[in-house]
């Protein structure tokens, strides 16, 4: 689910070298091993090694450059600098592991959009394409280690939800005196309106789901930091399978933890059962995941079926717009459409279950 990067490596390296030299106050900055892989739709990404001479002598860092998208727009208001602010706040006020963000540039002059530079955290990420349940380094792990990886990720999510958001994260709070879930649903409704033209498949199901989540919202269950994209594919795991860093904070907000747990459950289904394939042996299923999260968090999550509908609705909007972008990028229509129909099928099943 990527789009080819349109930037040229040599020019990007030259621009980045000059910018870093100014920010570091060094005239011998060398940017090497610059890679511009296929970039995700939420940000353009580049990886590089940087050497320079600082006050204490030679310095070396592995950096990741993330540029707010300019050639496409998946979300209503893409905001790379919000991600940087969120990671800096987490790194300062909590023990939640996130990549350090030494540099932020709000001026779009250099690359045509705001960007930030974060340190590259060593480790491995379970892939989405192909699913980490089907192929890749996770399939080579012993069964017990797969379970440990998954459990470590859930434990990090529970730790995030235990953070006091009123101690350094007030900027996430909703305005207008609304409660967080109401604010979340209002933003979702605005997003649906903005992306409605892209909902070309199972539009009736998507509309019914939006009506359901506004009508059937559960009783308040407490508020905390909602990651917004909670899943193993946004976790960097160290060699010992501990959590080295949580990444991708573009949709972070304040709300009930069920939003994140519902997303985790739905995305795992999307990467396994919804593709007609079982989860990797050793990876807990839906019920066991819910029970383990509640054990780690020390509380129950009422209304989880509601939050799964909510998550599948959000994923339907994302994949509907993604399908159009992929087709415009040259992917065969039947292949691109499958991204959407797989999710809307999940949404239909969850909506039927929640209404019965």
């Amino acid at each position: 689910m990527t789009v080819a990067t349109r930037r040229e490596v040599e020019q990007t390296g030259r621009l980045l070298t000059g910018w870093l030299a100014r920010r570091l106050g060094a005239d011998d900055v060398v940017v090497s091993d610059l890679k511009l892989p296929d970039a995700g739709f939420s940000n353009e990404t580049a990886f590089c090694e940087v050497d320079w001479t600082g006050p204490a002598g030679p310095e070396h860092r592995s950096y990741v450059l993330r540029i707010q998208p300019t050639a496409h727009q998946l979300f209503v208001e893409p905001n790379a600098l919000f991600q940087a602010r969120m990671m800096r706040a987490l790194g300062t006020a909590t023990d939640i592991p996130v990549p350090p963000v030494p540099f932020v540039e709000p001026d779009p002059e250099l690359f045509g959009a705001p960007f930030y530079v974060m340190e590259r955290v060593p480790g491995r990420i379970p892939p989405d394409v192909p699913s980490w349940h089907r192929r890749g380094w996770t399939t080579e792990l012993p069964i017990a280690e797969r379970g440990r990886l998954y459990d470590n990720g859930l434990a990090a999510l529970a730790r995030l939800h235990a953070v006091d958001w009123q101690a350094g994260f007030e900027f996430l709070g909703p305005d207008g005196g609304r409660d967080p879930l109401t604010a979340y649903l209002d933003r979702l409704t605005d997003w649906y309106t903005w992306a409605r033209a892209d909902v070309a498949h199972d539009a009736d199901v998507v509309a019914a789901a939006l009506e359901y989540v506004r009508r059937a919202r559960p009783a308040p269950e407490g508020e905390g930091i909602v990651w917004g994209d909670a899943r193993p594919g946004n976790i960097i795991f160290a060699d010992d399978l501990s959590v080295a860093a949580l990444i991708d904070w573009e949709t972070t907000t304040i709300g009930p933890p069920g939003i994140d747990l519902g997303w985790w459950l739905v995305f795992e289904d999307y990467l396994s059962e919804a593709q007609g394939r079982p989860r990797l042996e050793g990876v807990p299923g839906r019920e066991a995941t819910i029970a383990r999260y509640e054990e780690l968090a020390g509380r129950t999550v009422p209304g989880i079926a509601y939050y799964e509908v909510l998550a599948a609705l959000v994923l339907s909007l994302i994949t509907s717009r993604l399908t159009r972008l992929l087709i415009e990028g040259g992917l065969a229509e039947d292949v691109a459409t499958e991204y959407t129909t797989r999710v809307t099928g999940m949404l239909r099943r969850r909506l039927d279950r929640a209404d019965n």
Side-chain angles (χ1 to χ4, degrees):
M1 297 195 295
T2 59
V3 63
T5 301
R6 294 173 171 82
R7 299 186 187 274
E8 196 273 328
V9 172
E10 183 177 349
Q11 180 188 38
T12 301
R14 184 172 65 254
L15 292 173
L16 182 61
T17 298
W19 183 84
L20 283 172
R22 293 189 295 273
R23 296 299 298 266
L24 292 166
D27 57 10
D28 62 346
V29 173
V30 176
V31 174
S32 61
D33 199 22
L34 178 67
K35 295 181 174 64
L36 296 170
D38 285 349
F41 276 90
S42 59
N43 289 283
E44 294 184 53
T45 302
F47 303 96
C48 65
E49 304 299 316
V50 180
D51 293 272
W52 74 96
T53 302
E59 299 275 4
H60 175 84
R61 296 289 188 278
S62 296
Y63 282 147
V64 180
L65 167 67
R66 304 206 75 183
I67 307 170
Q68 191 166 291
T70 56
H72 51 263
Q73 190 171 332
L74 187 58
F75 300 106
V76 180
E77 296 179 350
N79 191 343
L81 301 189
F82 172 82
Q83 291 198 62
R85 182 180 185 183
M86 189 64 204
M87 286 187 284
R88 282 180 164 180
L90 286 166
T92 299
T94 77
D95 62 354
I96 302 298
V98 291
V101 182
F103 306 114
V104 172
E105 180 54 77
D107 191 335
E109 181 179 358
L110 193 70
F111 290 122
F115 65 90
Y116 63 91
V117 175
M118 64 183 182
E119 294 189 16
R120 189 172 187 179
V121 176
R124 296 178 292 180
I125 301 174
D128 292 337
V129 182
S131 165
W132 69 275
H133 290 277
R134 294 175 53 189
R135 199 178 306 166
W137 65 274
T138 51
T139 64
E140 300 169 1
L141 293 173
I143 293 173
E145 291 192 6
R146 295 174 194 155
R148 183 154 58 90
L149 174 149
Y150 192 84
D151 198 68
N152 287 343
L154 271 182
L157 181 61
R159 284 171 53 204
L160 173 68
H161 291 160
V163 170
D164 178 6
W165 73 271
Q166 294 181 328
F169 300 91
E170 293 84 356
F171 65 93
L172 293 174
D175 55 15
R178 296 174 296 172
D179 72 90
L181 184 54
T182 295
Y184 184 91
L185 294 174
D186 287 346
R187 290 193 300 272
L188 178 59
T189 302
D190 291 342
W191 185 13
Y192 169 80
T193 301
W194 176 76
R196 190 168 185 172
D198 297 316
V199 183
H201 303 279
D202 296 321
D204 58 329
V205 178
V206 176
L210 180 64
E211 188 277 331
Y212 169 81
V213 297
R214 295 199 67 90
R215 164 177 54 83
R217 50 176 295 169
E221 56 166 298
E223 302 166 359
I225 296 175
V226 171
W227 186 357
D229 200 1
R231 55 191 176 89
N234 276 334
I235 301 176
I236 301 174
F237 290 93
D239 289 342
D240 64 358
L241 302 182
S242 62
V243 173
L246 307 183
I247 58 175
D248 283 356
W249 296 90
E250 186 165 23
T251 53
T252 303
T253 188
I254 298 298
I259 295 176
D260 271 343
L261 182 57
W263 182 265
W264 183 289
L265 295 169
V266 164
F267 215 92
E268 282 300 286
D269 183 4
Y270 176 73
L271 293 179
S272 54
E273 290 93 348
Q275 297 187 29
R277 296 176 179 271
R279 301 183 186 211
L280 277 174
E281 189 176 0
V283 177
R286 175 183 181 272
E287 298 299 330
T289 295
I290 295 170
R292 179 55 175 156
Y293 171 83
E294 292 181 336
E295 179 184 6
L296 290 164
R299 61 183 172 190
T300 60
V301 182
I304 190 60
Y306 169 91
Y307 291 110
E308 288 181 274
V309 172
L310 182 61
L313 171 58
V314 171
L315 191 55
S316 293
L317 292 178
I318 291 173
T319 54
S320 291
R321 185 158 180 80
L322 177 62
T323 291
R324 183 176 70 78
L325 293 171
L326 288 170
I327 293 172
E328 290 177 356
L331 188 65
E333 184 172 352
D334 59 336
V335 176
T337 298
E338 199 274 334
Y339 283 121
T340 296
T341 54
R342 186 196 314 167
V343 177
T344 55
M346 294 167 55
L347 177 58
R348 187 188 300 274
R349 291 189 293 273
R350 282 168 171 77
L351 190 58
D352 288 344
R353 185 170 62 196
D355 270 334
N356 294 328

